[in-house]
Amino acid sequence: MSSINARALVNALGGGIGLVMMGYAVQTVFWHGYQLANPTVGTVSTTPGFEAVTVGIFLLGTLVAFTGYTNALSQVEMHE
């Protein structure tokens, strides 16, 4: 595997992991809201800092996905 392919693979994995982190954070917020609206479904997390941790995961995922995407785009060679 050439070094260009290895870097592309690392950037793709970084972008994918970032998207998964963002999806996890969004799903967590949706599920938390659903539990608040329907208390018979289950207990709601009352952990202090729950919102801050979820927002942190989302922002970190955004940063990882964006960095992987822009690094991959910077490796594309333009041919005229």
Side-chain angles (χ1 to χ4, degrees), residues 21-38 41 43-45 50-51 54-55 58:
M21 290 172 68
M22 292 167 61
Y24 170 79
V26 169
Q27 183 63 29
T28 300
V29 170
F30 285 161
W31 181 246
H32 184 73
Y34 180 77
Q35 285 181 325
L36 286 176
N38 301 299
V41 172
T43 59
V44 177
S45 173
F50 167 77
E51 291 87 3
T54 305
V55 168
F58 183 82

CSV table of all heavy atoms in Angstrom, one decimal, residues 21-38 41 43-45 50-51 54-55 58:
chain,number,residue,atom,x,y,z
A,21,MET,N,-19.6,9.6,15.9
A,21,MET,CA,-19.7,10.4,17.2
A,21,MET,C,-20.8,11.4,17.1
A,21,MET,O,-21.5,11.6,18.1
A,21,MET,CB,-18.3,11.1,17.4
A,21,MET,CG,-17.2,10.1,17.8
A,21,MET,SD,-15.6,11.0,17.9
A,21,MET,CE,-15.9,12.0,19.4
A,22,MET,N,-20.9,12.1,16.0
A,22,MET,CA,-22.0,13.1,15.9
A,22,MET,C,-23.3,12.4,15.9
A,22,MET,O,-24.3,12.9,16.6
A,22,MET,CB,-21.8,13.8,14.5
A,22,MET,CG,-20.6,14.7,14.5
A,22,MET,SD,-20.2,15.3,12.8
A,22,MET,CE,-21.7,16.2,12.5
A,23,GLY,N,-23.5,11.3,15.2
A,23,GLY,CA,-24.7,10.5,15.2
A,23,GLY,C,-25.1,10.0,16.6
A,23,GLY,O,-26.3,10.1,17.0
A,24,TYR,N,-24.1,9.6,17.3
A,24,TYR,CA,-24.3,9.1,18.7
A,24,TYR,C,-24.9,10.2,19.6
A,24,TYR,O,-25.8,10.0,20.4
A,24,TYR,CB,-23.1,8.5,19.3
A,24,TYR,CG,-23.2,8.2,20.8
A,24,TYR,CD1,-23.8,7.1,21.2
A,24,TYR,CD2,-22.6,9.1,21.7
A,24,TYR,CE1,-23.9,6.8,22.6
A,24,TYR,CE2,-22.8,8.9,23.1
A,24,TYR,CZ,-23.4,7.7,23.5
A,24,TYR,OH,-23.5,7.5,24.8
A,25,ALA,N,-24.3,11.4,19.5
A,25,ALA,CA,-24.7,12.5,20.3
A,25,ALA,C,-26.1,13.0,20.0
A,25,ALA,O,-26.9,13.2,20.9
A,25,ALA,CB,-23.7,13.7,20.1
A,26,VAL,N,-26.4,13.0,18.7
A,26,VAL,CA,-27.8,13.4,18.3
A,26,VAL,C,-28.8,12.4,18.7
A,26,VAL,O,-29.9,12.7,19.3
A,26,VAL,CB,-27.8,13.6,16.7
A,26,VAL,CG1,-29.3,13.7,16.2
A,26,VAL,CG2,-27.0,14.8,16.3
A,27,GLN,N,-28.5,11.1,18.6
A,27,GLN,CA,-29.4,10.0,19.0
A,27,GLN,C,-29.6,10.1,20.5
A,27,GLN,O,-30.7,9.9,21.0
A,27,GLN,CB,-28.9,8.7,18.6
A,27,GLN,CG,-29.8,7.5,18.9
A,27,GLN,CD,-31.2,7.6,18.2
A,27,GLN,OE1,-31.3,8.2,17.1
A,27,GLN,NE2,-32.2,7.1,18.8
A,28,THR,N,-28.6,10.4,21.3
A,28,THR,CA,-28.6,10.5,22.7
A,28,THR,C,-29.6,11.6,23.1
A,28,THR,O,-30.4,11.4,24.0
A,28,THR,CB,-27.3,10.7,23.3
A,28,THR,OG1,-26.4,9.6,23.0
A,28,THR,CG2,-27.3,10.8,24.8
A,29,VAL,N,-29.5,12.7,22.4
A,29,VAL,CA,-30.4,13.9,22.8
A,29,VAL,C,-31.8,13.5,22.4
A,29,VAL,O,-32.7,13.9,23.2
A,29,VAL,CB,-29.9,15.1,22.0
A,29,VAL,CG1,-30.9,16.3,22.1
A,29,VAL,CG2,-28.5,15.6,22.6
A,30,PHE,N,-32.0,12.9,21.3
A,30,PHE,CA,-33.4,12.5,20.9
A,30,PHE,C,-34.0,11.5,21.9
A,30,PHE,O,-35.1,11.7,22.3
A,30,PHE,CB,-33.4,11.9,19.5
A,30,PHE,CG,-33.3,12.9,18.4
A,30,PHE,CD1,-32.9,12.4,17.1
A,30,PHE,CD2,-33.5,14.2,18.5
A,30,PHE,CE1,-32.7,13.3,16.1
A,30,PHE,CE2,-33.3,15.1,17.5
A,30,PHE,CZ,-33.0,14.6,16.3
A,31,TRP,N,-33.2,10.6,22.3
A,31,TRP,CA,-33.7,9.6,23.3
A,31,TRP,C,-34.0,10.2,24.6
A,31,TRP,O,-35.0,9.9,25.3
A,31,TRP,CB,-32.7,8.4,23.4
A,31,TRP,CG,-33.2,7.4,24.4
A,31,TRP,CD1,-32.6,7.0,25.5
A,31,TRP,CD2,-34.3,6.5,24.2
A,31,TRP,NE1,-33.3,6.0,26.2
A,31,TRP,CE2,-34.4,5.7,25.4
A,31,TRP,CE3,-35.3,6.4,23.3
A,31,TRP,CZ2,-35.4,4.7,25.6
A,31,TRP,CZ3,-36.3,5.4,23.4
A,31,TRP,CH2,-36.3,4.6,24.6
A,32,HIS,N,-33.1,11.1,25.0
A,32,HIS,CA,-33.3,11.8,26.3
A,32,HIS,C,-34.6,12.6,26.3
A,32,HIS,O,-35.4,12.6,27.2
A,32,HIS,CB,-32.1,12.8,26.6
A,32,HIS,CG,-32.2,13.5,27.9
A,32,HIS,ND1,-31.9,12.8,29.1
A,32,HIS,CD2,-32.4,14.7,28.2
A,32,HIS,CE1,-32.1,13.7,30.1
A,32,HIS,NE2,-32.4,14.8,29.6
A,33,GLY,N,-34.8,13.3,25.1
A,33,GLY,CA,-36.1,14.1,25.0
A,33,GLY,C,-37.3,13.2,25.0
A,33,GLY,O,-38.4,13.5,25.6
A,34,TYR,N,-37.2,12.0,24.3
A,34,TYR,CA,-38.3,11.1,24.3
A,34,TYR,C,-38.6,10.6,25.7
A,34,TYR,O,-39.8,10.5,26.1
A,34,TYR,CB,-38.0,9.9,23.4
A,34,TYR,CG,-39.1,8.9,23.3
A,34,TYR,CD1,-40.2,9.2,22.5
A,34,TYR,CD2,-39.0,7.7,24.0
A,34,TYR,CE1,-41.2,8.2,22.4
A,34,TYR,CE2,-40.0,6.8,23.9
A,34,TYR,CZ,-41.1,7.0,23.1
A,34,TYR,OH,-42.1,6.1,23.0
A,35,GLN,N,-37.6,10.3,26.5
A,35,GLN,CA,-37.8,9.8,27.9
A,35,GLN,C,-38.4,10.9,28.7
A,35,GLN,O,-39.2,10.6,29.6
A,35,GLN,CB,-36.5,9.3,28.5
A,35,GLN,CG,-36.1,8.0,27.9
A,35,GLN,CD,-34.8,7.5,28.6
A,35,GLN,OE1,-33.9,8.3,28.9
A,35,GLN,NE2,-34.7,6.2,28.8
A,36,LEU,N,-38.0,12.2,28.5
A,36,LEU,CA,-38.7,13.3,29.2
A,36,LEU,C,-40.1,13.4,28.9
A,36,LEU,O,-41.0,13.7,29.8
A,36,LEU,CB,-37.9,14.6,28.9
A,36,LEU,CG,-36.6,14.8,29.6
A,36,LEU,CD1,-35.9,16.1,29.1
A,36,LEU,CD2,-36.7,14.7,31.1
A,37,ALA,N,-40.5,13.2,27.6
A,37,ALA,CA,-41.9,13.3,27.2
A,37,ALA,C,-42.7,12.1,27.6
A,37,ALA,O,-43.9,12.3,27.8
A,37,ALA,CB,-42.0,13.5,25.7
A,38,ASN,N,-42.1,11.0,27.8
A,38,ASN,CA,-42.8,9.7,28.1
A,38,ASN,C,-42.1,9.1,29.3
A,38,ASN,O,-41.4,8.1,29.1
A,38,ASN,CB,-42.8,8.8,26.9
A,38,ASN,CG,-43.5,9.4,25.7
A,38,ASN,OD1,-44.6,9.7,25.8
A,38,ASN,ND2,-42.7,9.5,24.6
A,41,VAL,N,-41.6,5.2,29.9
A,41,VAL,CA,-40.6,4.4,29.0
A,41,VAL,C,-39.4,4.0,29.9
A,41,VAL,O,-38.9,2.9,29.8
A,41,VAL,CB,-40.2,5.2,27.8
A,41,VAL,CG1,-39.1,4.5,27.0
A,41,VAL,CG2,-41.4,5.4,26.9
A,43,THR,N,-36.3,5.6,33.0
A,43,THR,CA,-35.8,6.7,33.8
A,43,THR,C,-34.9,7.7,33.0
A,43,THR,O,-34.3,7.2,32.0
A,43,THR,CB,-35.0,6.2,35.0
A,43,THR,OG1,-33.9,5.5,34.5
A,43,THR,CG2,-35.8,5.4,35.9
A,44,VAL,N,-34.9,8.9,33.3
A,44,VAL,CA,-34.1,9.9,32.6
A,44,VAL,C,-32.9,10.2,33.4
A,44,VAL,O,-32.8,10.2,34.6
A,44,VAL,CB,-35.0,11.2,32.5
A,44,VAL,CG1,-34.1,12.3,31.8
A,44,VAL,CG2,-36.2,11.0,31.7
A,45,SER,N,-31.8,10.3,32.6
A,45,SER,CA,-30.5,10.5,33.3
A,45,SER,C,-30.5,11.9,33.9
A,45,SER,O,-30.9,12.9,33.3
A,45,SER,CB,-29.4,10.5,32.2
A,45,SER,OG,-28.2,10.9,32.8
A,50,PHE,N,-24.6,16.2,31.9
A,50,PHE,CA,-25.0,15.3,30.8
A,50,PHE,C,-25.0,16.1,29.5
A,50,PHE,O,-24.5,15.6,28.5
A,50,PHE,CB,-26.4,14.7,31.1
A,50,PHE,CG,-27.0,14.1,29.9
A,50,PHE,CD1,-26.7,12.8,29.5
A,50,PHE,CD2,-28.1,14.7,29.2
A,50,PHE,CE1,-27.3,12.2,28.4
A,50,PHE,CE2,-28.7,14.1,28.1
A,50,PHE,CZ,-28.3,12.9,27.7
A,51,GLU,N,-25.6,17.3,29.5
A,51,GLU,CA,-25.7,18.1,28.3
A,51,GLU,C,-24.3,18.5,27.8
A,51,GLU,O,-24.0,18.5,26.6
A,51,GLU,CB,-26.6,19.3,28.5
A,51,GLU,CG,-28.0,19.0,28.7
A,51,GLU,CD,-28.4,18.7,30.1
A,51,GLU,OE1,-27.5,18.8,31.0
A,51,GLU,OE2,-29.6,18.4,30.4
A,54,THR,N,-22.5,15.6,26.2
A,54,THR,CA,-23.1,15.3,24.9
A,54,THR,C,-22.7,16.3,23.8
A,54,THR,O,-22.3,16.0,22.7
A,54,THR,CB,-24.6,15.2,25.0
A,54,THR,OG1,-25.0,14.2,26.0
A,54,THR,CG2,-25.3,14.7,23.7
A,55,VAL,N,-22.7,17.6,24.2
A,55,VAL,CA,-22.3,18.6,23.3
A,55,VAL,C,-20.8,18.5,23.0
A,55,VAL,O,-20.4,18.7,21.8
A,55,VAL,CB,-22.6,20.0,23.9
A,55,VAL,CG1,-21.9,21.1,23.1
A,55,VAL,CG2,-24.1,20.2,23.9
A,58,PHE,N,-20.4,15.7,20.4
A,58,PHE,CA,-20.8,16.2,19.1
A,58,PHE,C,-19.7,17.1,18.5
A,58,PHE,O,-19.4,17.0,17.3
A,58,PHE,CB,-22.1,16.9,19.2
A,58,PHE,CG,-22.7,17.4,17.8
A,58,PHE,CD1,-23.3,16.5,17.0
A,58,PHE,CD2,-22.5,18.7,17.4
A,58,PHE,CE1,-23.8,16.9,15.8
A,58,PHE,CE2,-23.0,19.1,16.2
A,58,PHE,CZ,-23.6,18.2,15.4
